[in-house]
Amino acid sequence: MTYPKEDRFYFGHHKCASNWMSAMIQQFCRGHGWGFEVIDRPNLPRFDARDNKPTFHIRRGAHFHHTDILEPGHKAFQLIRDPRDALVSGYWSWRKSHENNTEKILKTREQLNTLPVEDGLIIMLDNLIMLEGLRDWPIGQIPAILDVRYEDMLADTPGVFATIFNHLEVELSSADIDRLVTNTSFESLTGRKPGQEDTSNHFRKGIAGDWKNAFTPKVARAFKDRFQPDLVRLGYETDDTWVDLVAADHAASH
């Protein structure tokens, strides 16, 4: 299918705040007459554009080959996240809050609920779907696609929202940005402040770096053995000294 050149795209990855970004994009589309659809989830709500406005398309669980839909003139963005935080988020999601579950998730959930968190995190190393989608992705090398870090989004949501829409070549006033930030903030979506955890809610905690609270030396070593190259390629570490820091912090607190 060929999309009009005015249409815009978001490529989402598992446990990379896709629900947050979907909420933000829907708020924008409803407020400005744009159409909205989730390309790979035809069962989810969609709405048509008004007054010949463009449509914003979301692709969840994206792999690089999904960007083949982009034509000259299209603009897109994606959100990436520290894979260690994605692991912790995935653990709690599969254990408690994930909906529309597959047989695999349900079987894993049953297993996770019988194990300590440490062992459960190691089991979830086999289910780090985010990295499956990003492994073949040439980060920072596709001019049409803006790579946005979840951590930067949390640190300066208005500034990063402005950067996203500037890249998309969509004019928004500062008041428009402020409304989007307010209406789609963690507190607005959950009734909790960032850092107030609810492990049964899909919007669990709303902070970055929570992996440091969950990783034990055993989990850190297992993660390094499997995914250290991905941490470096995505720009979250330059070497494996972080594993030693986890061990030192764990020893100091026990």
Side-chain angles (χ1 to χ4, degrees):
M1 179 176 179
T2 299
Y3 297 93
K5 67 178 182 179
E6 294 81 11
D7 285 5
R8 296 297 181 253
F9 300 82
Y10 165 66
F11 296 103
H13 305 288
H14 189 252
K15 307 316 300 178
C16 288
S18 292
N19 285 331
W20 181 21
M21 288 301 94
S22 295
M24 182 274 285
I25 292 168
Q26 285 196 59
Q27 286 270 343
F28 162 75
C29 290
R30 290 189 185 280
H32 293 80
W34 283 47
F36 170 87
E37 74 159 347
V38 181
I39 297 173
D40 53 318
R41 304 282 179 87
N43 58 311
L44 294 181
R46 68 175 304 279
F47 45 90
D48 295 325
R50 302 191 304 270
D51 302 324
N52 297 315
K53 295 290 184 67
T55 294
F56 215 124
H57 309 275
I58 290 178
R59 176 84 203 200
R60 300 169 74 98
H63 289 247
F64 184 61
H65 69 265
H66 291 135
T67 66
D68 290 347
I69 62 176
L70 299 182
E71 302 281 351
H74 282 154
K75 296 288 185 178
F77 77 102
Q78 67 168 340
L79 204 64
I80 61 176
R81 185 183 191 183
D82 189 320
R84 294 164 294 193
D85 272 337
L87 177 72
V88 175
S89 180
Y91 166 81
W92 286 111
S93 174
W94 280 37
R95 180 175 169 178
K96 288 193 172 186
S97 66
H98 199 279
E99 299 177 351
N100 302 317
N101 294 305
T102 64
E103 183 178 353
K104 179 179 182 180
I105 293 176
L106 291 175
K107 286 184 176 180
T108 305
R109 175 171 292 174
E110 184 176 350
Q111 186 179 19
L112 294 176
N113 279 301
T114 67
L115 296 171
V117 173
E118 180 182 61
D119 294 336
L121 287 171
I122 289 175
I123 285 174
M124 287 300 294
L125 291 172
D126 291 330
N127 301 294
L128 194 47
I129 300 171
M130 166 199 169
L131 288 181
E132 294 176 12
L134 283 170
R135 186 150 289 131
D136 61 347
W137 203 292
I139 302 296
Q141 299 180 38
I142 311 298
I145 304 174
L146 178 68
D147 301 317
V148 179
R149 292 184 184 274
Y150 174 71
E151 298 79 12
D152 294 338
M153 183 81 79
L154 289 181
D156 180 15
T157 306
V160 174
F161 275 16
T163 298
I164 289 171
F165 283 99
N166 182 62
H167 170 78
L168 297 176
E169 298 178 351
V170 176
E171 291 188 13
L172 284 186
S173 68
S174 58
D176 289 331
I177 295 290
D178 288 343
R179 275 191 293 271
L180 281 178
V181 172
T182 299
N183 292 338
T184 62
S185 69
F186 181 82
E187 190 167 357
S188 292
L189 294 173
T190 69
R192 288 176 283 121
K193 293 186 180 298
Q196 292 180 338
E197 185 176 32
D198 179 355
T199 58
S200 297
N201 192 300
H202 204 68
F203 292 95
R204 180 179 60 91
K205 203 169 185 178
I207 64 172
D210 191 46
W211 68 268
K212 297 174 184 177
N213 299 316
F215 271 36
T216 64
K218 179 181 177 181
V219 174
R221 289 191 298 270
F223 193 99
K224 182 202 75 169
D225 291 344
R226 292 278 294 273
F227 301 120
Q228 180 64 23
D230 295 293
L231 278 179
V232 174
R233 185 176 68 86
L234 294 176
Y236 285 98
E237 297 290 348
T238 57
D239 54 38
D240 62 4
T241 55
W242 66 273
V243 179
D244 296 329
L245 294 175
V246 170
D249 289 344
H250 190 264
S253 60
H254 289 75

